[in-house]
Amino acid sequence: MTAATARAHPNIALVKYWGKRDEQLMLPAAGSLSLTLDAFATTTTVELRGEERDAFTLNGAAATEGQTERVTAFLELVRQWAGASEHAVVRSVNLAPTGAGLASSASGFAALALAASAAYGLELEPRDLSRLARRGSGSACRSIVPELAIWHAGIDDASSFAEPIAGPAMAMVIVTIDGSTKAVSSREAMRRTIATSPYYPGWVSSTERTLAEMAVACGAGDFTRVGELTEVSALRMHASIQAAEPPLRYLRAASVAVFDAAEQMRAEGLEAYATADAGPNVVLVCRPEDAAAVAARVEGLGQVRVVGAGPGAALVEEPVEPVEPAPDAGVPA
Ligand code: PMV
C-alpha cells in the first residue's frame, strides 16, 4: 500500500480571480494575487490499496456524490500524469468552521494535489504542483504557495501557475455575516458574468493593470497601496458580477456596513481595507500590529476572526485515520 498525507490552507485574494478563459484547463481570464492563511487547514490522506473505485470521506463522513465526482475527476488527471491506473481512498479533514464563509475548495484541492501526487509517486516541482492544483479549483493553485502568491494567468497549461511574491506584512480580520452555502456556485456565476455582464471586458482589462500595480506595491513593501488596490479589485469584481443577467448580488447590507467601517477607520488613521469573495462575508486587510484594534471596531457587525499569513501546502506525517465502520462513498470510476 502506498499512502501520503498533505496539509494546505485557504487563501484570500487581494487581486481577485473571476472568470475562465478555458474551463477545461482552468486558465483564468486574468492573473490574481492572494495571501495564504495560517488557519482553517485541510488535511488529506490518499491511499492506494487496490480498490475497484475511488472513495472520498470528508470530516469522517461519506462525501456527497458531487464532491466525490470532482475528486475522482481530479484523481484521473493525477493518474494520467503518473501513468497509473490504481484507484484511491481519500480521507479529508477540513478545519474551516462551518459557516465561516471560507471556501474550502482552495485548501482542499491544494492538499489533494500534493497528497495524491506523492501517493502516485510523482515528484513535482512547486510550479507543477501549482499547475496540478489549478485543475481542481482555480484558486487552489495559490494555496500551494506560502503567504503572498501571484497566479500568472499564462497562455496555456504550462504557463498558468502561482509562485511566491514578497510584500508587506499583513493580517486579515474575517467578518462572517452569513455562513450558508452559496445559491449559485462560483463556477456558474463566473459563466453568467462572462455571458451577460457588459462590464466583464472592463473587469478583465483593468485586472491586468491592477495586478501589475499590485506587484509593484508588494515589491516596495507599500502596505497602503496594497490595501487600496485590494479594495478596488474587490469592488470592481462585484460591480461586474452585479451587472450580470439575471443579476447576481453577493454583498448584503451587513457586508456594505463592513466596507463603511473600513472607510471610517481610515478616516481616523487606522488602516483597514475591505474585500469580499463570492458571498456576503467581508475580510479586512490590515497591518499585523493593527489587527486587534481593527477586530474590535467590527465586533458587532458579524462573527470576527483574526488570521495571519500561513504556510504553503506540505506533506505531513499524521494520516487522517478512517472512521469505523469505513463508509463506502465510492462511485463507479
Ligand atoms: O477557484 P474558485 O472557483 O473557488 O473561485 C474563486 C473566486 C473568488 O474567491 C471570488 C476570487 C478569488 O480570487 O479567490
Side-chain angles (χ1 to χ4, degrees):
M1 183 189 82
T2 320
T5 301
R7 182 167 297 143
H9 296 80
N11 68 75
I12 299 286
L14 307 178
V15 176
K16 300 293 185 195
Y17 146 57
W18 193 257
K20 296 172 185 62
R21 201 157 76 84
D22 182 325
E23 283 214 14
Q24 220 253 314
L25 288 175
M26 299 285 250
L27 301 179
S32 58
L33 188 142
S34 63
L35 187 75
T36 299
L37 307 184
D38 61 359
F40 316 133
T42 299
T43 306
T44 297
T45 295
V46 174
E47 263 181 31
L48 312 187
R49 46 178 207 205
E51 304 295 296
E52 297 217 331
R53 54 193 178 174
D54 296 319
F56 176 39
T57 59
L58 181 58
N59 294 336
T64 64
E65 207 174 303
Q67 288 167 329
T68 306
E69 272 168 19
R70 229 173 134 184
V71 164
T72 302
F74 186 78
L75 291 171
E76 274 305 328
L77 180 67
V78 178
R79 286 190 279 265
Q80 254 178 43
W81 282 32
S85 56
E86 205 175 343
H87 287 99
V89 173
V90 177
R91 290 188 300 273
S92 219
V93 171
N94 173 27
L95 293 184
T98 323
L102 282 163
S104 52
S105 68
S107 55
F109 279 102
L112 180 61
L114 181 52
S117 59
Y120 281 99
L122 288 168
E123 282 176 28
L124 299 178
E125 295 296 325
R127 173 178 298 202
D128 293 326
L129 187 60
S130 175
R131 286 174 48 228
L132 177 62
R134 189 195 81 228
R135 301 289 291 276
S137 171
S139 56
C141 76
R142 300 185 309 227
S143 276
I144 297 297
V145 176
E147 307 199 352
L148 283 174
I150 182 165
W151 176 9
H152 306 287
I155 50 162
D156 55 15
D157 178 39
S159 55
S160 188
F161 60 89
E163 64 180 353
I165 179 168
M170 271 179 273
M172 289 187 161
V173 177
I174 299 172
V175 187
T176 304
I177 282 150
D178 176 359
S180 49
T181 16
K182 322 175 216 190
V184 181
S185 71
S186 58
R187 188 169 294 203
E188 194 46 48
M190 284 179 191
R191 282 187 193 136
R192 192 187 297 176
T193 309
I194 294 171
T196 66
S197 173
Y199 303 152
Y200 185 70
W203 158 252
V204 174
S205 57
S206 69
T207 296
E208 290 298 353
R209 290 195 299 275
T210 310
L211 185 63
E213 267 196 78
M214 183 64 100
V216 171
C218 281
D222 184 348
F223 170 78
T224 299
R225 191 62 190 139
V226 167
E228 288 169 354
L229 290 166
T230 296
E231 206 169 289
V232 163
S233 175
L235 290 174
R236 284 191 181 148
M237 179 186 80
H238 283 278
S240 90
I241 293 172
Q242 285 177 192
E245 194 180 344
L248 284 161
R249 191 167 49 81
Y250 290 113
L251 300 178
R252 303 282 120 199
S255 323
V256 176
V258 182
F259 278 77
D260 287 347
E263 194 179 317
Q264 185 62 36
M265 284 184 238
R266 295 198 295 269
E268 293 167 19
L270 179 60
E271 276 188 78
Y273 299 88
T275 185
D277 286 336
N281 304 312
V282 179
V283 175
L284 296 170
V285 180
C286 62
R287 293 189 174 88
E289 59 271 29
D290 290 338
V294 170
R297 291 290 300 267
V298 287
E299 207 48 69
L301 300 180
Q303 194 177 357
V304 178
R305 297 181 180 86
V306 176
V307 296
L315 290 169
V316 295
E317 294 298 325
E318 321 82 57
V320 177
E321 299 296 347
V323 175
E324 298 301 337
D328 179 6
V331 291

